[in-house]
Amino acid sequence: MNTVRRSIAFSVIEKYLAQILLVATTMVMARILTPAETGLYMTANAVIMLADNFRTFGVGVYIIQEKQIERSVVQSAFTLTLFFSLTMGAIIYCGAGWLATFYDAPQLRTLLVVAALGFLAIPFSSPVMALLQRELAFNVIAGINVAAALVAFAITVTLGLAGFGPVSYAWGFVGASFTIAALATAVRRNFWIFRVSFARTRELLSFGTVSSLITVSNIAYDMLPRLAFGKMLGFDAVGLYARALTVCQLPDRAVVSALHPVVLPAFAAQARAGDSLKAYYLHGLSLITAVQWPALIMLCLLADPVVDILLGAQWGAVPPLVRFIALANMALAPAALTFPVLVAAGRVHDALRASLTSLPPSFLILIVAALHSLDAVAASMLVVAPLQMLIAYRYVSPVIGLGWAELARAGRHSAALAMGTAFVPVIIVALSPTGFDLGWLQTMAAVAGGAAGWGIVLAFVDHPLKREIVGIWISLSAWVWRRNAAASRL
């Protein structure tokens, strides 16, 4: 448990630093690029993300969950990663012109061709990063990822200010990819990893087919609407929708993304030890909702000032979208745990069935809503998100013996935290003559009141987060003390 807590602590530190850089990049670029230019980049990004997630082919997940790791496994993983990375890069490069013609956007070709260069670096980082995750070496992972985020920030913002436009993001992606590859190789120095081997490719392909279908179906659900909206509603709509999602994903990036790299290795370790996964699932759900729900409530209430601060005046159509999506995302808190718990329990096929059951109807609902308006798309998330949660529960419940009453008990204190957080901001919004469009002083008062409400409720309820904060502090203090003691003996 101390190892897991320390891993979570380093992962949180990494994600918060990366999140600060992401927010800084977004704030700068939102004032340089128009919504249409942003939508153009987001369309290219959707293509890159789809290709990148197919490229992974479950190789990293296989390394993390495998009981015994031999050199032949890692070398075969590198071989498959190299093949799929080069293949995806070549497909993007060759298809860039066709996509640019389809969208009648010549700039799209340049974006895709530049981004395809990043696939040359990925094979030399992917297996190494998976090994580091398996070993819960999140202090090393944090250093690598923060360095890559700094490189991406520096390149993107510098080129953006120099007038390069949307392609600035693509060069930032390429710079970050090569930074991760160089640092991962330098840290590990196990050059035997990069030897081509086909010894275990059959096992990897068998597992990877299912795992990659899950990953690609989930990322396709996230990215295909952007591709469809680009044709149906125009790049302006893509830019507005993507920026609304970016704002609503801030709590997810700060909380779930910090836990996500640790969750699967931790679940896999518990499964190998023969421990019950239900207790860890409920514990993880309590920790996620303790921060995510209050943050989403605050986003819903303060969407106007948050968008104005982050994006600027030209994004005035985003706050109504944010309010719908933020409320809907509250239902998706268990989603981050569905795949890890099913894979750790040896039920990867159930994870695939859950994705294939929930995502096609969800995508159809979004497309039908897009026939009406972008606001209708955001409102449809209030139907889509609960639907996905119910389907996920249907598959997780029998695997770990989870009941609705246990799920409700795990979330009741987090619900109290969310209500405590919302109390003061709701009063301020209700009394404001301009409604949601709060001024600076009102916004600061709402943020302070929300934070105070969250802290007061946390002090009075028996929430697992309170124990984890103490446990993480003790684990980190002990780790620092041991490092200092070791250094003093040298």
Side-chain angles (χ1 to χ4, degrees):
M1 181 59 74
N2 285 338
T3 302
V4 172
R5 283 173 174 162
R6 189 163 59 250
S7 298
I8 291 173
F10 279 113
S11 186
V12 167
I13 292 169
E14 172 212 326
K15 297 303 179 184
Y16 274 117
L17 291 174
Q19 187 70 19
I20 290 170
L21 292 169
L22 175 64
V23 170
T25 304
T26 301
M27 291 177 68
V28 174
M29 298 302 289
R31 288 159 172 80
I32 296 173
L33 304 182
T34 65
E37 289 175 319
T38 303
L40 180 67
Y41 159 68
M42 289 299 179
T43 302
N45 179 253
V47 175
I48 295 300
M49 292 298 292
L50 282 169
D52 184 55
N53 279 272
F54 182 81
R55 182 273 314 162
T56 61
F57 209 73
V59 168
V61 176
Y62 184 88
I63 290 175
I64 292 169
Q65 61 84 49
E66 181 66 0
K67 287 182 170 57
Q68 297 291 332
I69 287 293
E70 300 172 357
R71 286 195 173 193
S72 58
V73 172
V74 182
Q75 290 168 344
S76 297
F78 165 73
T79 303
L80 283 180
T81 303
L82 180 66
F83 171 76
F84 284 114
S85 295
L86 294 180
T87 301
M88 288 297 103
I91 289 173
I92 291 170
Y93 181 85
C94 296
W98 179 85
L99 283 171
T101 302
F102 177 77
Y103 284 101
D104 192 23
Q107 271 188 296
L108 187 60
R109 183 182 182 281
T110 304
L111 282 165
L112 291 171
V113 168
V114 171
L117 296 174
F119 285 81
L120 297 175
I122 290 171
F124 300 94
S125 62
S126 183
V128 177
M129 296 296 279
L131 286 171
L132 292 172
Q133 276 187 271
R134 177 185 174 87
E135 297 160 5
L136 296 174
F138 283 91
N139 55 330
V140 179
I141 293 172
I144 293 172
N145 286 336
V146 170
L150 279 168
V151 170
F153 167 77
I155 293 174
T156 303
V157 171
T158 300
L159 294 180
L161 292 172
F164 280 74
V167 77
S168 306
Y169 275 111
W171 281 116
F173 165 73
V174 172
S177 298
F178 276 90
T179 300
I180 293 173
L183 292 178
T185 304
V187 165
R188 193 80 186 193
R189 293 185 179 275
N190 296 139
F191 298 109
W192 56 263
I193 292 173
F194 310 121
R195 183 178 301 164
V196 173
S197 171
F198 298 94
R200 305 288 290 273
T201 51
R202 179 176 295 182
E203 298 168 35
L204 283 161
L205 285 170
S206 177
F207 180 89
T209 300
V210 178
S211 180
S212 63
L213 282 173
I214 297 167
T215 304
V216 171
S217 61
N218 279 276
I219 200 68
Y221 166 72
D222 287 336
M223 298 301 162
L224 284 178
R226 298 184 188 182
L227 297 174
F229 297 164
K231 194 68 176 175
M232 297 171 65
L233 301 173
F235 288 125
D236 277 342
V238 177
L240 294 170
Y241 177 72
R243 283 297 174 234
L245 287 178
T246 297
V247 173
C248 291
Q249 287 169 353
L250 289 175
D252 181 75
R253 292 178 184 274
V255 182
V256 179
S257 63
L259 294 176
H260 190 266
V262 185
V263 169
L264 178 55
F267 276 152
Q270 297 305 322
R272 287 194 293 267
D275 292 340
S276 169
L277 292 176
K278 179 169 72 173
Y280 289 92
Y281 178 90
L282 293 173
H283 187 68
L285 184 62
S286 295
L287 297 181
I288 290 172
T289 54
V291 181
Q292 190 184 47
W293 283 356
L296 288 170
I297 286 288
M298 290 291 285
L299 264 182
C300 180
L301 294 170
L302 305 179
D304 287 86
V306 168
V307 169
D308 187 53
I309 292 168
L310 289 179
L311 306 179
Q314 66 173 331
W315 300 89
V318 169
L321 308 178
V322 169
R323 277 190 277 275
F324 282 122
I325 298 171
L327 280 178
N329 281 358
M330 293 182 70
L332 294 178
L337 302 175
T338 301
F339 178 75
V341 76
L342 290 175
V343 170
R347 305 292 288 270
V348 68
H349 287 85
D350 282 346
L352 175 60
R353 293 186 190 100
S355 294
L356 296 180
T357 303
S358 65
L359 299 184
S362 299
F363 177 69
L364 182 61
I365 291 170
L366 291 177
I367 295 301
V368 171
L371 297 174
H372 298 276
S373 68
L374 199 56
D375 287 336
V377 172
S380 70
M381 293 294 293
L382 295 172
V383 176
V384 167
L387 172 66
Q388 292 180 359
M389 187 275 289
L390 289 171
I391 292 173
Y393 173 81
R394 158 69 179 79
Y395 284 92
V396 170
S397 174
V399 172
I400 62 175
L402 180 66
W404 280 109
E406 293 168 308
L407 203 61
R409 281 196 297 272
R412 70 185 190 280
H413 289 321
S414 295
L417 286 172
M419 289 187 287
T421 302
F423 183 74
V424 172
V426 164
I427 293 175
I428 292 174
V429 170
L431 296 178
S432 172
T434 55
F436 287 107
D437 190 12
L438 302 179
W440 281 95
L441 289 177
Q442 292 170 309
T443 301
M444 291 173 64
V447 171
W454 184 85
I456 291 169
V457 174
L458 183 63
F460 283 95
V461 299
D462 183 27
H463 200 288
L465 178 63
K466 191 158 51 178
R467 297 189 293 273
E468 286 300 320
I469 290 172
V470 174
I472 288 173
W473 177 257
I474 293 172
S475 296
L476 272 181
S477 299
W479 180 80
V480 171
W481 182 86
R482 287 195 300 271
R483 290 290 297 266
N484 290 338
S488 65
R489 289 194 295 267
L490 295 177

